[in-house]
Amino acid sequence: MSDKDNKSYRDTLCLPKTSFAMKANLTQREPQLRKEWAKNNIYAKTRQARQGAPLYTLHDGPPYANGDIHMGHVINKVLKDFVIKYKTMTGFDAPYIPGWDCHGLPIEAKVFTELGEKAKEIDKLEIRNLCKKYASKYVKLQSKQFQELGIFGDFENPYLTFTPRYEAGILEVFAELVGKGLVRKQLKPIHWSIGCETALAEAELEYKDISSPSIFVNFPIAKESIEKLVELGLIERQAASDKSRICFMVWTTTPWTLAANLAVAVHPNLEYKTISCEKNGDKFISILCAERLEAVIAAGELKEGQYTVSDKSVKGSALEGLRYLHPFVENNPTDKDAYMVVCAQYVTTEDGTGLVHTAPGHGAEDYITGQQYELATYSPVLSNGCYDDTVPDWLRGRNVLEVDTLVNDNLQKKGLLFAQAAITHSYPHCWRSKGPVIFRATEQWFVSVDKELPPAGKTLRELAMESTGKVRWIPAWGQKRIEGMLESRPDWCISRQRSWGLPIPVFVNSKGDALLTKESVLAVAKSVGEKGSNCWFTDSPRQLLGEDFELPAGFSFDDLQKEENIFDVWFESGCSWYSVAHKAGWPVPVDLYLEGSDQHRGWFQLSLLPALGAIGKAPFKNVLTHGFTVDEKGMKQSKSLGNYVNAQDEVAKYGADILRLWVASVNYQEDVRCNDELIGRIQDAYRKIRNTLRYLLGNIDDFDPNKNSVAYNDMFEIDKWALQQLQKLIAGVTDAYENFVFHRVFTLIHNFCTIEMSSIYMDVLKDRMYCDPADSLSRRSAQTVMYKIVDCLVRMFAPILVHTAEETWSVMKFKSADEDSIHFAEMPKVDDSINWQQEEPKWQKLMELRDKVLLALEPLRKDKIIGSNQESSVTIHCDADAAAVIKNFGLENFTALCIVSEIKLEESTTETKVTAEKSSYQKCQRCWNYWPTVGTNNEYPDLCERCVSVIR
RNA sequence: GGGCUCGUAGCUCAGUUGGUUAGAGCGCACGCCUGAUAAGCGUGAGGUCGGAAGUUCGACUCUUCCCGGGCCCA
């Protein structure tokens, strides 16, 4: 038999035929598909297709409009797209309105950097316009990059936080909070540039090493507190009455802040001792942390014998409440308590004395401690860096950066300066004036979280804590996390002293009274909604509020100034549930917020608070979070570490569907390991799915479901099995999608393609599909099933492999639904008439037997007795049970299932055993089976009976 | 330093309320096929479940501590 003859039989076979290419060529095919989608307005059409259907609202959290998108964006947006597409395919009207966070310092800072020297001459409005331009540029860029991932949405009409409509919404929410009395003004220390006389944000600080004074200062303890120390046993009674001065020893590197000292902080759990010594003729007993003794002795250059240390020690908590005298301020300048020991967790033993000089008006931690102990936020420093009149006269009007020597001399004279030196340390400087930055308390606007608000009479914090139980958090620990944050969060400082943002609409009169009422805010909201927030800078108060606005008592338009604070951008994005969702007509709470787990503190919390304040409800029903991308070792990714994965590069290299499949393959609830290799590996899985489709499509090329379908009951057993497996798959995939467990969708589909399809069903089917007559029941039975499988598979992975699904849909000759795009189609549902559970035990036994058969062939193959399975003849020595299973199934069917030429059954009492040998029959040159009928036909001596009948 | 969280084969994932020799797919190795062919099939080797201690008759599953990550704070 020559090759040529073989060829002639080849032509009598029904081999797979399809235009669906094996090679995906995603990077070229995908852009073409997207062009088609754009041309056909795919998103608008999806919405039309679901008009009137129940809404499913996923509200997009706005990414910051700066820079290229990265892998974090990819995960976030692709997950959202999975949800939107899945919900659409299950019959919901699932709109997606993408948004961008456009205001804020990073953009303003970039614009300043780009301007360079020119920045100083440019006015606020011009800066704002440049910022708007900058933000718009990146909105456009990111929008394009998102769409390149195959994401559908209203990218023509995204929400941008700088638009008048959005800004007005923020003010409308703010008005509610104002109306409920939640907004108040309070002093708070912030970074202050003396050179620029302006507040600075963290991002505007440059850290430089400078030399600062390092001084150890004794704060004399008040008489009544000395008595307590005696009671504690830390001070001996005799010592208390002799001429020693008993002090708390503190350490500082900013002597100028001593003028604003209001407290001394200790760590409640550290041990404190006394050191007694004589220095410069003064006798001291100083209290300090036991662990710092050695360092302090060294700093004071005390020699052995010049000092004694107490044996007794007390915990810091025992010192709480003890009082001292300020070293140079005679009377407490504030209207609140001062000059006592307080406890703070941040006190360390790394430097200093373990007693921390605390000036609530001049330090972040000091401020928090001050709040806890109800101290004043005392900051006797003017905007130009000079002391005000509340300090001792020898400091008044002096620049705080030039008084270190004065302070030291004063302390020296009083004998309170234990030691002084210089240290070099990193210290923040202003990025523009380059001078050192100070902490200075300024008036800021706050949203109170502990003030009761009408009508419930509960605080925002209480409402927030109650609301978390009503939200479904995915994963569930999100609830604990956000509750922890809500429990401990301070009042929300919503004001910033910048240009690029929405102004806080506060007016002040010359007496310094602020005009901020629900009505005034709503009046400004109207102006802003019409003209945009630039009007705050261009219009007069009268214009902003409107001619008919009724000013409250004490205010007149002739005496009204505008404040120039802007909102914290978090307040802006925290109002999106109103500015976007509510204004789009969606019911609030919306169905789903879906962001990275950092947003528990960020967007989730800061959307929850305004919503509770304004409407008394959380803005979301479900909150789903995902983890962060890390490198292959699980470490944080960064450009500087060199383990950064560039999202654009990956899309360009592999195509969007590969990235999307990768997102679907990982458990996003945890950190996601990610590098080029890991993404590249997903291509294998993609190819398996693609080839499975290709094979199925190739085998139904001549199948018209309307004409050739076979009823379930008339099908071959293995075809029924395949349909049963499909139902099982649909059930699993549906459940996984419903619960947002996309990696289970991936695993289920991938395993289905690999095991049920490729390695079992499609392999078993070859003989029937290729060799039986084209229009035979056996082929039509299998084709009915394969058609159904393609149809269901493509729908099930459509939300993930958006391009490949569309491509598949387009090559399907007979579509089961008359939709132009797979993305309008519906998800398959389980066919309840097919009871797959019932058949499972039977099939499990059959498959186990099949495995035993296949295993028995291996030795023959190894010994080169057979090559393919078809060359073998198998004998199964099986128990009655197994024999029954096989007989019931049909020996012929089982032989086909194993793809061998012959199986003989021999009942045996022992354990089931399979033996195999080379078939004694001849090989049919058409179907390659070794069957007894080969050679029985004279006309075709090289064919089996079946093949003879087919080619006749 | 604090809150939350994660750590099962090379990779991605399963492992119900603690209970037989810890599973799957991929990858890898070896072999087969050459009528899915830059495809397809089979077989096999890989984990003692981050580490230690404890509770228990019995723990990957519970407790404590430690190590190493991540997010958010300080």
Side-chain angles (χ1 to χ4, degrees):
Chain A
M1 186 62 55
S2 72
D3 279 359
K4 207 178 166 191
D5 292 325
N6 271 338
K7 274 265 161 64
S8 66
Y9 288 129
R10 188 182 204 275
D11 294 339
T12 69
L13 299 171
C14 301
L15 293 175
K17 185 185 152 201
T18 176
S19 60
F20 190 74
M22 180 179 282
K23 194 162 172 4
N25 233 333
L26 291 179
T27 52
Q28 280 152 44
R29 217 185 293 268
E30 287 180 345
Q32 290 166 13
L33 268 169
R34 286 196 294 269
K35 223 186 238 169
E36 284 296 308
W37 284 335
K39 210 173 84 192
N40 296 327
N41 264 321
I42 187 87
Y43 173 74
K45 276 199 181 161
T46 330
R47 292 298 309 281
Q48 279 165 22
R50 295 291 182 271
Q51 210 169 27
L55 262 181
Y56 184 88
T57 49
L58 183 163
H59 176 43
D60 189 36
Y64 198 67
N66 189 13
D68 288 312
I69 67 167
H70 51 69
M71 290 307 293
H73 291 112
V74 171
I75 290 191
N76 180 257
K77 294 290 183 176
V78 167
L79 288 175
K80 284 172 179 162
D81 198 48
F82 289 169
V83 174
I84 294 290
K85 290 211 168 79
Y86 172 74
K87 288 293 176 185
T88 301
M89 291 181 74
T90 46
F92 286 95
D93 178 12
Y96 180 57
I97 305 175
W100 275 272
D101 197 358
C102 298
H103 281 141
L105 183 79
I107 289 174
E108 192 175 337
K110 277 275 183 203
V111 167
F112 267 99
T113 313
E114 283 176 9
L115 283 170
E117 279 303 298
K118 273 189 289 180
K120 288 171 187 158
E121 298 139 30
I122 290 181
D123 76 358
K124 230 173 200 174
L125 272 177
E126 204 165 331
I127 294 288
R128 286 169 57 89
N129 287 335
L130 289 169
C131 287
K132 185 175 176 183
K133 234 170 135 179
Y134 184 96
S136 304
K137 176 181 148 191
Y138 280 99
V139 166
K140 213 174 147 195
L141 178 78
Q142 293 191 354
S143 174
K144 177 172 162 277
Q145 293 172 344
F146 288 147
Q147 290 176 76
E148 282 168 359
L149 293 169
I151 287 156
F152 291 176
D154 197 356
F155 284 97
E156 298 302 311
N157 304 290
Y159 77 84
L160 308 177
T161 56
F162 63 52
T163 56
R165 177 184 156 96
Y166 191 102
E167 291 179 326
I170 300 167
L171 294 181
E172 284 158 26
V173 173
F174 184 60
E176 284 298 317
L177 304 190
V178 170
K180 288 173 184 163
L182 293 177
V183 180
R184 68 192 169 88
K185 204 173 205 180
Q186 196 194 306
L187 285 169
K188 185 193 180 193
I190 53 168
H191 289 292
W192 187 265
S193 165
I194 292 172
C196 300
E197 294 199 28
T198 180
L200 294 177
E202 196 65 42
E204 293 173 303
L205 304 177
E206 290 175 357
Y207 285 83
K208 282 191 266 188
D209 278 346
I210 58 162
S211 174
S212 294
S214 157
I215 62 171
F216 293 81
V217 186
N218 274 316
F219 282 24
I221 299 176
K223 263 202 184 126
E224 68 270 24
S225 291
I226 292 175
E227 190 55 39
K228 287 198 180 135
L229 289 167
V230 172
E231 284 166 26
L232 282 171
L234 193 61
I235 305 285
E236 287 172 29
R237 188 159 296 282
Q238 193 200 336
S241 53
D242 77 14
K243 280 190 179 163
S244 297
R245 292 167 81 171
I246 301 169
C247 300
F248 294 121
M249 191 189 289
V250 303
W251 175 76
T252 183
T253 58
T254 49
W256 67 266
T257 61
L258 286 174
N261 172 280
L262 296 180
V264 166
V266 296
H267 193 289
N269 299 332
L270 288 175
E271 294 291 336
Y272 290 83
K273 288 192 167 184
T274 64
I275 178 168
S276 310
C277 68
E278 189 172 334
K279 227 184 163 213
N280 308 328
D282 292 313
K283 280 164 89 179
F284 284 100
I285 299 175
S286 300
I287 294 174
L288 67 159
C289 178
E291 288 179 51
R292 294 301 302 164
L293 274 165
E294 209 174 308
V296 170
I297 289 162
E301 293 173 342
L302 295 178
K303 305 261 160 43
E304 197 75 35
Q306 290 183 320
Y307 63 90
T308 54
V309 172
S310 65
D311 293 331
K312 171 84 182 169
S313 73
V314 299
K315 279 213 186 296
S317 53
L319 303 174
E320 186 178 19
L322 296 184
R323 313 192 72 86
Y324 63 88
L325 307 170
H326 192 285
F328 57 78
V329 177
E330 282 180 28
N331 297 308
N332 175 357
T334 75
D335 54 4
K336 295 192 173 151
D337 203 357
Y339 308 145
M340 75 275 215
V341 176
V342 296
C343 289
Q345 296 289 334
Y346 56 79
V347 175
T348 71
T349 55
E350 273 164 36
D351 44 30
T353 63
L355 290 101
V356 176
H357 148 56
T358 298
H362 292 287
E365 291 175 329
D366 308 44
Y367 171 74
I368 293 166
T369 305
Q371 293 291 299
Q372 277 167 4
Y373 284 87
E374 294 183 358
L375 307 177
T377 306
Y378 176 53
S379 179
V381 180
L382 303 170
S383 66
N384 62 4
C386 295
Y387 284 114
D388 66 15
D389 291 347
T390 63
V391 297
D393 50 8
W394 52 275
L395 286 173
R396 266 173 217 164
R398 291 191 181 268
N399 186 316
V400 297
L401 295 177
E402 294 161 4
V403 299
D404 287 346
T405 322
L406 268 179
V407 172
N408 290 357
D409 288 352
N410 181 285
L411 294 169
Q412 185 92 57
K413 262 186 232 156
K414 294 194 163 87
L416 296 174
L417 189 65
F418 173 75
Q420 64 172 313
I423 63 158
T424 303
H425 62 156
S426 172
Y427 191 86
H429 289 68
C430 172
W431 67 321
R432 291 177 69 191
S433 70
K434 305 297 175 192
V437 164
I438 64 166
F439 261 106
R440 173 173 176 260
T442 56
E443 290 202 308
Q444 303 292 339
W445 288 97
F446 289 81
V447 171
S448 307
V449 292
D450 289 316
K451 190 172 175 215
E452 289 179 4
L453 67 150
K458 287 180 176 159
T459 68
L460 218 41
R461 194 194 305 279
E462 286 163 355
L463 288 174
M465 294 299 288
E466 284 172 15
S467 73
T468 55
K470 296 173 193 153
V471 174
R472 182 185 174 204
W473 303 90
I474 309 165
W477 50 257
Q479 183 177 352
K480 249 193 283 178
R481 185 157 201 226
I482 195 164
E483 283 176 354
M485 290 162 176
L486 288 166
E487 262 167 18
S488 62
R489 70 149 302 131
D491 284 347
W492 182 1
C493 179
I494 55 166
S495 55
R496 298 288 184 274
Q497 290 68 50
R498 310 294 329 170
S499 303
W500 182 227
L502 175 65
I504 300 180
V506 180
F507 301 92
V508 282
N509 65 15
S510 52
K511 283 195 278 178
D513 300 327
L515 167 58
L516 179 69
T517 63
K518 180 173 175 178
E519 292 72 27
S520 75
V521 176
L522 286 175
V524 176
K526 192 158 175 284
S527 293
V528 167
E530 285 161 9
K531 305 180 226 170
S533 60
N534 273 355
C535 69
W536 183 258
F537 303 96
T538 55
D539 288 11
S540 67
R542 191 190 289 271
Q543 287 171 305
L544 287 164
L545 289 165
E547 287 294 337
D548 337 328
F549 188 82
E550 283 183 36
L551 288 170
F555 291 96
S556 74
F557 279 121
D558 305 332
D559 178 26
L560 215 51
Q561 299 279 318
K562 295 170 286 183
E563 276 195 2
E564 292 209 351
N565 293 311
I566 60 166
F567 280 100
D568 174 13
V569 286
W570 283 113
F571 192 84
E572 299 194 3
S573 62
C575 293
S576 62
W577 55 270
Y578 179 84
S579 276
V580 180
H582 173 75
K583 288 196 178 185
W586 300 357
V588 176
V590 302
D591 288 309
L592 182 66
Y593 273 39
L594 190 169
E595 306 296 332
S597 60
D598 55 335
Q599 300 303 340
H600 284 116
R601 168 161 295 269
W603 194 50
F604 303 147
Q605 187 199 179
L606 302 176
S607 293
L608 182 62
L609 294 177
L612 288 170
I615 60 168
K617 287 190 284 192
F620 33 65
K621 287 185 198 155
N622 300 284
V623 175
L624 188 152
T625 54
H626 56 80
F628 281 68
T629 55
V630 291
D631 74 6
E632 68 280 3
K633 294 185 197 104
M635 307 291 253
K636 182 193 185 112
Q637 288 189 319
S638 73
K639 282 176 185 163
S640 58
L641 284 173
N643 60 1
Y644 185 79
V645 178
N646 183 303
Q648 273 68 54
D649 291 351
E650 301 304 311
V651 180
K653 186 169 172 187
Y654 300 114
D657 274 12
I658 295 297
L659 249 72
R660 296 178 66 104
L661 191 60
W662 171 75
V663 172
S665 75
V666 296
N667 178 1
Y668 62 79
Q669 296 194 351
E670 295 166 12
D671 293 325
V672 176
R673 290 175 190 237
C674 164
N675 65 15
D676 178 67
E677 195 193 331
L678 289 169
I679 294 169
R681 233 176 256 173
I682 279 293
Q683 288 181 115
D684 292 325
Y686 176 85
R687 277 195 220 103
K688 192 71 190 184
I689 294 171
R690 189 177 177 91
N691 272 324
T692 302
L693 280 171
R694 183 175 129 88
Y695 184 83
L696 294 171
L697 287 167
N699 279 300
I700 56 170
D701 193 63
D702 64 335
F703 177 76
D704 179 346
N706 303 310
K707 295 179 188 156
N708 311 125
S709 286
V710 173
Y712 181 71
N713 287 332
D714 299 334
M715 285 178 180
F716 278 44
E717 282 297 305
I718 188 74
D719 296 334
K720 288 183 187 168
W721 171 82
L723 268 189
Q724 290 159 18
Q725 293 306 306
L726 179 66
Q727 305 316 311
K728 188 179 177 180
L729 176 70
I730 293 170
V733 165
T734 304
D735 184 66
Y737 268 125
E738 285 296 325
N739 291 293
F740 309 106
V741 190
F742 305 117
H743 72 268
R744 203 160 77 219
V745 174
F746 166 80
T747 303
L748 286 169
I749 289 179
H750 184 241
N751 278 4
F752 181 79
C753 288
T754 304
I755 303 167
E756 279 80 12
M757 288 299 106
S758 190
S759 112
I760 300 175
Y761 190 54
M762 282 151 45
D763 211 26
V764 167
L765 237 41
K766 282 177 190 166
D767 180 74
R768 248 203 283 164
M769 293 309 299
Y770 298 173
C771 306
D772 279 356
D775 198 33
S776 59
L777 174 70
S778 74
R779 280 191 87 242
R780 295 312 190 193
S781 171
Q783 285 180 320
T784 306
V785 172
M786 284 191 275
Y787 172 81
K788 188 76 193 161
I789 289 173
V790 175
D791 184 57
C792 291
L793 258 187
V794 70
R795 291 163 190 258
M796 282 190 279
F797 69 66
I800 297 168
L801 298 173
V802 287
H803 301 90
T804 305
E806 194 75 308
E807 185 194 345
T808 312
W809 190 249
S810 71
V811 302
M812 285 172 75
K813 280 192 185 167
F814 300 96
K815 293 179 181 43
S816 56
D818 144 45
E819 309 286 5
D820 301 335
S821 167
I822 182 72
H823 301 295
F824 305 151
E826 297 211 341
M827 273 290 152
K829 293 195 180 80
V830 174
D831 182 344
D832 292 325
S833 70
I834 299 174
N835 191 340
W836 55 270
Q837 284 103 331
Q838 193 183 14
E839 298 281 297
E840 285 233 302
K842 173 183 99 183
W843 281 106
Q844 200 186 332
K845 280 181 197 150
L846 284 166
M847 290 303 175
E848 277 167 16
L849 284 164
R850 178 181 187 257
D851 287 340
K852 283 196 173 127
V853 170
L854 298 183
L855 200 57
L857 299 180
E858 282 314 296
L860 296 188
R861 218 189 311 271
K862 202 182 167 199
D863 294 340
K864 306 282 179 197
I865 295 168
I866 61 164
S868 74
N869 288 14
Q870 284 169 299
E871 291 176 48
S872 66
S873 170
V874 173
T875 306
I876 307 178
H877 311 266
C878 52
D879 55 33
D881 185 39
V885 169
I886 293 174
K887 279 181 186 163
N888 221 349
F889 181 59
L891 188 58
E892 203 178 324
N893 284 338
F894 188 68
T895 310
L897 184 63
C898 299
I899 323 178
V900 294
S901 284
E902 182 183 35
I903 291 183
K904 290 177 264 190
L905 285 188
E906 269 182 28
E907 296 207 19
S908 122
T909 48
T910 54
E911 199 185 344
T912 301
K913 224 179 103 187
V914 180
T915 57
E917 58 190 351
K918 168 108 181 169
S919 172
S920 56
Y921 305 117
Q922 296 241 279
K923 177 181 182 179
C924 171
Q925 291 306 324
R926 182 167 175 274
C927 70
W928 298 346
N929 285 308
Y930 290 65
W931 279 350
T933 57
V934 178
T936 53
N937 187 287
N938 293 333
E939 201 181 336
Y940 299 101
D942 54 352
L943 295 189
C944 69
E945 211 169 45
R946 183 261 311 258
C947 287
V948 171
S949 72
V950 173
I951 66 169
R952 262 197 184 140

